[in-house]
Amino acid sequence: SGTVGTPLPGVTATMRDSRIHVRSDAVSSGYVDNDSDAFVDGGFLTGDYGEWDSCGRLLLRGRASSFVNVAGRKVQPDEVEAVLRAMPGIADVRVVAAADARRGQQIVACIVVDARASSITTLVIRRYCAERLASYKVPRAIVFVERIPLTARGKTDRAALDALVRARLGRGSL
């Protein structure tokens, strides 16, 4: 919560269906070798929801693309990640969506276990979450990874993470 401030000189930020649209000479016109409908009207339509406060400061309210739709209910992965990060024995975690034939999407937790933790299992994780989250927010699948894949800039590589999850779910190894 809180504000991210006001736009810098030469930067225009507006709202489009509650999503933030940014225009400036520094905004790219698109991704290399990747079509994206986010580059519109001379700017970039971010994946962030926001609003302006009474002082003209921008408030971030969440990510448009990060919500998971589980049987018609919206789940914010950050909430599930926060619960899992508080669990003893978890070194790192990212929560992503995966297709689910009955529910539309399902919650998948990608877990890096602390090297000193020996009792972390899928069942232990699901029980821990069930005590702290609504039932539809409990991860249906757990993927244990040695590390969370990162981009060259050190951010989570969502494409690599999604590919890893699809591969694991496809093999039925969860």
Side-chain angles (χ1 to χ4, degrees):
S1 66
T3 72
V4 293
T6 57
L8 294 169
V11 176
T12 303
T14 57
M15 296 300 149
R16 301 212 177 165
D17 296 324
S18 298
R19 285 177 59 188
I20 301 167
H21 181 263
V22 179
R23 288 180 50 185
S24 94
D25 290 339
V27 173
S28 171
S29 60
Y31 295 122
V32 174
D33 298 330
N34 186 354
D35 291 333
S36 174
D37 59 359
F39 295 94
V40 294
D41 298 330
F44 180 70
L45 185 60
T46 73
D48 298 310
Y49 286 117
E51 65 181 282
W52 298 104
D53 72 5
S54 60
C55 297
R57 295 174 300 200
L58 182 59
L59 299 160
L60 293 182
R61 294 297 186 207
R63 294 273 307 154
S65 59
S66 67
F67 284 94
V68 180
N69 187 351
V70 178
R73 295 179 171 160
K74 301 291 185 211
V75 179
Q76 179 56 266
D78 292 345
E79 177 186 2
V80 181
E81 287 176 4
V83 167
L84 287 166
R85 281 195 179 96
M87 182 177 177
I90 303 260
D92 203 358
V93 61
R94 296 296 184 284
V95 170
V96 298
D100 183 291
R102 283 188 26 244
R103 300 167 71 177
Q105 291 181 308
Q106 63 177 302
I107 303 290
V108 180
C110 299
I111 305 279
V112 177
V113 176
D114 186 308
R116 298 165 292 189
S118 60
S119 61
I120 300 293
T121 65
T122 298
L123 183 58
V124 168
I125 292 168
R126 294 192 79 227
R127 283 184 177 160
Y128 182 88
C129 289
E131 293 173 359
R132 292 159 178 82
L133 295 166
S135 61
Y136 65 94
K137 296 179 180 181
V138 174
R140 291 181 49 93
I142 309 294
V143 175
F144 292 100
V145 295
E146 289 184 27
R147 63 177 182 76
I148 301 297
L150 301 176
T151 66
R153 292 193 169 156
K155 293 187 176 189
T156 301
D157 187 337
R158 293 284 175 187
L161 201 57
D162 288 342
L164 183 119
V165 166
R166 280 192 311 275
R168 298 269 180 99
L169 287 175
R171 284 200 312 255
S173 61
L174 297 175

